[in-house]
Amino acid sequence: MVEYDFETYPTDPDAMSEYLREREACGNPMTREGAEAHIAWNTAKVQEVGERSSRMTPEEERGSGKHNLSGLDEALSTEFDLEDARFEVEAVMEAAEDAERAAQGKHPLKRERDIVTPEGFSGMGVTPRGW
């Protein structure tokens, strides 16, 4: 498997989305193998950040610095940004999977985000039209 340096990839979700669009515009979209490797790296990184934040001392949680952000808030923010960036990559991988299925003459897979319901309705047991 190809070795990727994901430490240089953006971890902010908006930056990751822009990065993926730029790659696609240049004719070098993220491959399925690359997306799977990024998701695995990202999951490990989120787990590492979570473990680090769970081991913080009360002094570290309060943090110090100019912005008066607590260390715990910073760790959680990093964790959430990593997860959101992973969702961006997962969307690219799902689009590639749907394109493969379309090429085979199959319908795309139904995903939870494809279900659209009126506001205030839970959506339990609802499937989108045309499925």
Side-chain angles (χ1 to χ4, degrees):
M1 186 169 112
V2 179
E3 196 63 37
Y4 296 94
D5 177 23
F6 293 117
E7 296 293 333
T8 60
Y9 278 48
T11 55
D12 177 71
D14 295 332
M16 177 56 96
S17 182
E18 183 179 331
Y19 168 77
L20 292 171
R21 278 194 303 274
E22 287 174 2
R23 273 188 69 160
E24 193 160 334
C26 292
N28 184 22
M30 184 175 271
T31 64
R32 183 184 192 95
E33 180 185 57
E36 288 171 349
H38 182 273
I39 290 168
W41 170 84
N42 189 297
T43 303
K45 191 75 169 176
V46 167
Q47 185 176 0
E48 175 187 320
V49 169
E51 288 172 357
R52 190 175 27 203
S53 65
S54 69
R55 291 190 309 259
M56 282 186 168
T57 64
E59 294 80 29
E60 290 173 325
E61 285 180 13
R62 282 190 291 277
S64 62
K66 300 175 192 172
H67 306 293
N68 291 331
L69 290 176
S70 75
L72 187 58
D73 284 346
E74 234 173 83
L76 289 173
S77 176
T78 301
E79 188 174 339
F80 292 144
D81 282 349
L82 281 165
E83 287 177 351
D84 288 344
R86 184 183 74 231
F87 295 146
E88 293 289 332
V89 174
E90 285 174 349
V92 168
M93 193 168 77
E94 289 170 358
E97 188 176 313
D98 287 346
E100 288 173 8
R101 290 181 60 83
Q104 297 170 356
K106 299 178 183 177
H107 286 290
L109 294 175
K110 285 191 284 185
R111 296 188 173 83
E112 186 177 340
R113 70 171 180 273
D114 296 331
I115 299 173
V116 180
T117 61
E119 189 174 330
F121 184 70
S122 70
M124 296 287 292
V126 174
T127 57
R129 291 189 183 103
W131 289 92

